[in-house]
Amino acid sequence: MSSFGLAIALLLLLLSLTSPVLSCTSSQEKGSLLRFLAGLSRRGGLPASWRSSTDCCSWEGIASDGDGGAVVEVSLASRGLEGRISPALANLTGLLHLNLSHNSITGRLPPELLSSGSIVVLDVSFNSLGGGLGELPSSTPDRPLQVLNISSNMFTGMFPSTAWEKTRSLVAINASYNSFTGEMPSSFCISSPSFASLDVCNNKFSGSIPTRLGKCFGLQVLRAGQNNLSGTIPDEVFNASLLEHLSLPNNGLEGKFDGENVIKLQNLAVIDLGGNQFSGKIPDSIGQLKRLQELHLDCNNLSGELPASLGTCTDLKIVNLKGNNLNGQLRQVNFSTMLNLQVLDLMLNSFTEEIPESIYSCSNLTALRLSSNNFSGQLSPRIGNLKSLSFLSLANSSFANITNTLHVLKNSRKLTTLLMANNFIGERIPDDLTVDGFDNVQILTLDGCSLSGNLPLWLSKLTSLKILDLSNNQLTGSIPAWIKNLNFLYYLDLSNNNLSGELPTALMEMPVLQSENFQDNLDNRAFELTVYIGSFAYRTLYNFPTVLNLGRNKFRVQSLQRLVG
Ligand SMILES: *[C@@H]1O[C@H](CO)[C@@H](O)[C@H](O)[C@H]1NC(C)=O
Ligand SMILES: *[C@@H]1O[C@H](CO)[C@@H](O)[C@H](O)[C@H]1NC(C)=O
Ligand SMILES: *[C@@H]1O[C@H](CO)[C@@H](O)[C@H](O)[C@H]1NC(C)=O
Ligand SMILES: *[C@@H]1O[C@H](CO)[C@@H](O)[C@H](O)[C@H]1NC(C)=O
Ligand SMILES: *[C@@H]1O[C@H](CO)[C@@H](O)[C@H](O)[C@H]1NC(C)=O
Ligand SMILES: *[C@@H]1O[C@H](CO)[C@@H](O)[C@H](O)[C@H]1NC(C)=O
Ligand SMILES: *[C@@H]1O[C@H](CO)[C@@H](O)[C@H](O)[C@H]1NC(C)=O
Ligand SMILES: *[C@@H]1O[C@H](CO)[C@@H](O)[C@H](O)[C@H]1NC(C)=O
Ligand SMILES: *[C@@H]1O[C@H](CO)[C@@H](O)[C@H](O)[C@H]1NC(C)=O
Ligand SMILES: *[C@@H]1O[C@H](CO)[C@@H](O)[C@H](O)[C@H]1NC(C)=O
Ligand SMILES: *[C@@H]1O[C@H](CO)[C@@H](O)[C@H](O)[C@H]1NC(C)=O
Ligand SMILES: *[C@@H]1O[C@H](CO)[C@@H](O)[C@H](O)[C@H]1NC(C)=O
């Protein structure tokens, strides 16, 4: 991406050095701008400076070349503009740079702008433009367009597929977050040797990935996720050997993750093929992608063991293999070399045996999810080496010895989310205060473990706790009065246990029940990984409902009535 960024910077530099075309003070330039203004129904603060009596080069958002020449730039991003874009803008024959992004402009994009003989950068992203773009006229002279950003609008219909041979300087197209249909665009690959970035994600493109993309020899970024693409990734695409970012998640793609092809893309930093139907093994050759930082292969049909070579991708930061049929031992991979690893998600696979010690060398890990596998054994005390670990899920993975687990985890001071449901089956929950630490834990789940014992005293020290799920165990005894001291607790599920006795009045004193707008202060930042509890998925603390579930226990009925009454 860096060389692409450089190209854009150079381009902006060039824009400031161009020679005069027409005088800015000419009535035609001014007239075109005023017609554009007239097309807007809400004009932000523009009319204050855009007065016909003044030199239009001094108007807000307008730049001219050097000494009062032609209008070369119209930069009106985030001005609160509404209404339509007048085709009169295309009459500014020296206009190089048009930026109307982040407004609320509606209607169509005038075709004159797309086929302009002067515009180099056209950015109308983040508006409410709609309709189709039509085809580009083939009769026009060459178009200098380099950057087209029409993302986050409401465009529909097919993407123009003809006459791109007039646009030889094209560098980047961002058409993401629209509703384009038909075949994914690629015609410009043939005629634009400098083409480097194509983003068409979040549209309704269908059919297969065009083989023509392989002719985009300069392509660095290809993003086409969240469409309806099908078939395999054509061999030709791997001719685009400069690709750094290959992102095709959530389509209907299938086929093998081909090892011989993938090593042709030595510059790959990001691979995202999640949410498709790729099958077969993860190839050994992946270890040759030395620049790889993110590997997202989640929710596919991959099988077999992890290739040992993964450990040689030492730049990896994110490895997401959730929801496949991967199996075998994790020990295959020597994680000690992957010191940049921040997120490792292995949820819902069939990995077996112990967690390899080498994982505990990845001291930059912030999120580790091992849930829904078939691991065995106990966690090593070396997990305390993971000083940045904030999210840990061990749920549903045949872990044993809850006492040991809690003791080894108490050194993980940064933990905020600790998910351990469906493990430790039939064990007794320790209740002494030698279990400590966990000062920052906000979400704790230990449901479905058939645990016996009382609600343990050490829980009373988890003062950051917001979400606590101990449902579906065999806990006995009563609810202790210290429950009200958990000041931030707003999701408490104790259902389906053997708890008994009176409900303490302290329950009524829980801050969540005392305050009406308790949830207003909740953090709405996304978790490192989505939290799954039961059949629900939560992305932020804000997504959790307020819950106090005491059902299916053995509480005395009178006390329930007192609580409600
Ligand atoms: C553009 O300029 C031409 C010639 O001056 C004029 O006839 C035409 O109406 C203008 N177009 C728009 C959309 O203002
Ligand atoms: C348009 O303006 C916005 C806001 O200033 C900016 O983020 C964006 O990069 C600009 N577009 C181009 C192509 O320079
Ligand atoms: C539109 O895309 C171009 C090219 O990628 C980029 O330079 C520009 O910043 C984008 N505009 C916004 C508002 O993000
Ligand atoms: C395209 O635009 C979207 C916003 O609409 C942005 O999130 C995305 O990063 C852009 N793509 C590229 C390759 O810059
Ligand atoms: C997705 O593509 C398939 C063919 O590949 C087509 O049958 C189906 O109608 C498309 N679905 C949508 C929602 O466009
Ligand atoms: C592109 O890839 C195809 C299939 O892999 C191959 O046959 C062809 O020779 C390649 N073309 C170029 C120009 O490299
Ligand atoms: C998943 O892969 C296996 C082979 O590994 C294959 O037999 C099965 O049909 C695939 N399932 C789907 C839904 O593609
Ligand atoms: C794993 O890698 C580390 C660091 O490179 C090395 O010291 C260790 O011997 C390796 N372990 C195995 C089992 O290969
Ligand atoms: C861990 O991350 C920090 C910054 O987040 C970085 O400076 C450091 O180099 C990383 N450590 C390793 C071993 O990669
Ligand atoms: C538990 O893990 C197994 C795979 O080991 C999976 O099939 C099952 O759906 C998981 N159950 C829950 C409740 O997540
Ligand atoms: C889990 O592993 C044990 C042996 O370690 C095996 O007996 C059991 O069948 C495995 N369960 C699943 C669901 O793979
Ligand atoms: C569980 O862990 C504790 C503390 O580490 C240890 O004393 C005990 O022997 C372990 N129990 C079993 C069954 O492994």
Side-chain angles (χ1 to χ4, degrees):
M1 283 282 259
S2 51
S3 44
F4 174 55
L6 185 65
I8 299 278
L10 276 175
L11 168 68
L12 294 178
L13 183 66
L14 284 176
L15 289 184
S16 57
L17 300 175
T18 37
S19 54
V21 184
L22 270 175
S23 168
C24 184
T25 45
S26 90
S27 58
Q28 197 191 335
E29 299 269 293
K30 190 179 284 181
S32 298
L33 287 172
L34 287 173
R35 246 167 291 162
F36 164 70
L37 188 67
L40 299 173
S41 54
R42 187 162 170 264
R43 303 160 178 188
L46 292 188
S49 76
W50 286 40
R51 278 174 288 111
S52 49
S53 58
T54 55
D55 176 358
C56 68
C57 298
S58 66
W59 293 358
E60 243 182 279
I62 304 301
S64 61
D65 60 329
D67 19 71
V71 171
V72 293
E73 183 172 331
V74 175
S75 283
L76 297 171
S78 306
R79 298 281 181 146
L81 307 180
E82 288 174 19
R84 290 164 178 263
I85 303 178
S86 165
L89 278 183
N91 266 2
L92 298 168
T93 51
L95 186 61
L96 301 172
H97 192 125
L98 175 59
N99 192 343
L100 300 174
S101 72
H102 289 284
N103 284 293
S104 305
I105 300 173
T106 49
R108 291 171 162 253
L109 180 67
E112 295 87 344
L113 292 177
L114 205 50
S115 55
S116 151
S118 71
I119 295 180
V120 174
V121 176
L122 176 55
D123 188 347
V124 293
S125 60
F126 298 95
N127 278 288
S128 302
L129 294 164
L133 291 179
E135 283 297 342
L136 301 174
S138 51
S139 56
T140 53
D142 282 356
R143 295 179 292 261
L145 188 66
Q146 297 187 7
V147 173
L148 176 64
N149 192 344
I150 54 174
S151 76
S152 297
N153 277 285
M154 302 185 314
F155 290 111
T156 55
M158 315 267 257
F159 198 85
S161 61
T162 58
W164 284 104
E165 68 278 5
K166 303 279 186 177
T167 312
R168 293 177 200 282
S169 309
L170 207 57
V171 175
I173 292 182
N174 193 342
S176 62
Y177 299 93
N178 280 290
S179 296
F180 285 112
T181 51
E183 199 196 339
M184 182 179 157
S186 63
S187 343
F188 32 78
C189 288
I190 311 273
S191 46
S192 315
S194 47
F195 193 70
S197 174
L198 178 63
D199 190 343
V200 295
C201 69
N202 288 78
N203 277 286
K204 295 174 177 164
F205 288 113
S206 56
S208 45
I209 295 177
T211 54
R212 221 193 264 123
L213 284 171
K215 302 264 188 226
C216 274
F217 294 113
L219 198 62
Q220 293 169 22
V221 179
L222 174 59
R223 299 182 15 139
Q226 283 84 27
N227 278 289
N228 184 26
L229 302 170
S230 53
T232 58
I233 303 179
D235 290 346
E236 286 81 358
V237 168
F238 298 91
N239 287 352
S241 58
L242 297 183
L243 260 186
E244 292 170 12
H245 190 127
L246 175 63
S247 171
L248 304 167
N250 303 316
N251 280 292
L253 299 168
E254 61 188 12
K256 294 253 184 302
F257 185 29
D258 188 298
E260 278 176 34
N261 269 336
V262 91
I263 53 171
K264 293 186 195 157
L265 305 180
Q266 287 288 327
N267 292 303
L268 276 180
V270 176
I271 300 179
D272 187 352
L273 302 177
N276 284 290
Q277 284 132 40
F278 290 104
S279 55
K281 297 185 64 170
I282 300 176
D284 278 330
S285 60
I286 198 146
Q288 295 180 37
L289 303 180
K290 298 295 182 213
R291 301 191 180 167
L292 202 57
Q293 295 183 5
E294 294 186 24
L295 179 63
H296 305 262
L297 298 173
D298 51 300
C299 305
N300 277 288
N301 185 24
L302 299 170
S303 52
E305 303 194 337
L306 281 189
S309 62
L310 197 61
T312 63
C313 301
T314 51
D315 282 354
L316 272 172
K317 291 188 171 127
I318 300 179
V319 174
N320 182 357
L321 303 174
K322 174 177 84 183
N324 282 289
N325 298 315
L326 298 166
N327 57 34
Q329 303 176 18
L330 280 188
R331 213 170 37 211
Q332 289 278 107
V333 180
N334 186 352
F335 289 90
S336 322
T337 49
M338 298 163 77
L339 296 177
N340 291 300
L341 201 59
Q342 293 170 1
V343 177
L344 177 61
D345 191 353
L346 302 176
M347 171 175 160
L348 208 52
N349 278 290
S350 304
F351 291 114
T352 53
E353 303 198 26
E354 291 87 34
I355 308 301
E357 290 276 317
S358 67
I359 279 193
Y360 306 125
S361 304
C362 304
S363 56
N364 266 3
L365 260 186
T366 58
L368 175 61
R369 178 153 58 194
L370 304 169
S371 59
S372 295
N373 277 287
N374 194 10
F375 292 115
S376 57
Q378 309 186 4
L379 280 186
S380 157
R382 288 191 61 211
I383 198 164
N385 292 358
L386 306 181
K387 295 291 179 217
S388 307
L389 195 65
S390 145
F391 183 112
L392 176 64
S393 175
L394 307 173
N396 187 31
S397 287
S398 315
F399 284 98
N401 202 343
I402 185 172
T403 305
N404 179 55
T405 305
L406 291 170
H407 278 286
V408 300
L409 286 175
K410 66 185 178 190
N411 295 322
S412 301
R413 298 278 169 186
K414 290 246 174 90
L415 271 183
T416 57
T417 302
L418 179 56
L419 309 175
M420 302 190 288
N422 299 311
N423 289 291
F424 319 117
I425 302 302
E427 295 183 21
R428 186 176 184 84
I429 194 166
D431 66 355
D432 59 283
L433 285 174
T434 61
V435 176
D436 63 1
F438 303 111
D439 301 343
N440 293 308
V441 169
Q442 301 185 347
I443 307 181
L444 176 65
T445 67
L446 267 170
D447 50 303
C449 301
S450 301
L451 296 172
S452 60
N454 294 336
L455 281 177
L457 188 54
W458 55 265
L459 277 177
S460 66
K461 307 241 252 166
L462 273 57
T463 49
S464 303
L465 208 55
K466 294 178 170 149
I467 314 292
L468 176 61
D469 191 348
L470 292 171
S471 63
N472 301 306
N473 284 299
Q474 287 158 18
L475 300 174
T476 49
S478 54
I479 296 183
W482 51 251
I483 201 82
K484 70 167 195 287
N485 299 338
L486 298 175
N487 281 332
F488 301 105
L489 193 64
Y490 67 96
Y491 181 112
L492 174 62
D493 193 347
L494 298 175
S495 64
N496 204 17
N497 277 288
N498 288 324
L499 298 168
S500 58
E502 302 264 342
L503 289 175
T505 45
L507 263 183
M508 287 310 292
E509 292 164 33
M510 283 176 65
V512 63
L513 297 179
Q514 297 285 317
S515 148
E516 267 178 32
N517 34 19
F518 188 84
Q519 267 180 299
D520 292 355
N521 303 322
L522 287 175
D523 203 338
N524 61 1
R525 275 175 309 175
F527 300 130
E528 288 90 346
L529 294 170
T530 301
V531 172
Y532 297 96
I533 295 185
S535 52
F536 294 97
Y538 303 97
R539 289 180 198 287
T540 69
L541 275 172
Y542 200 76
N543 287 154
F544 279 91
T546 304
V547 165
L548 177 56
N549 192 347
L550 308 176
R552 288 183 292 159
N553 277 290
K554 296 181 173 155
F555 296 115
R556 247 177 252 140
V557 178
Q558 306 93 296
S559 68
L560 276 176
Q561 283 165 342
R562 185 149 28 85
L563 190 70
V564 176

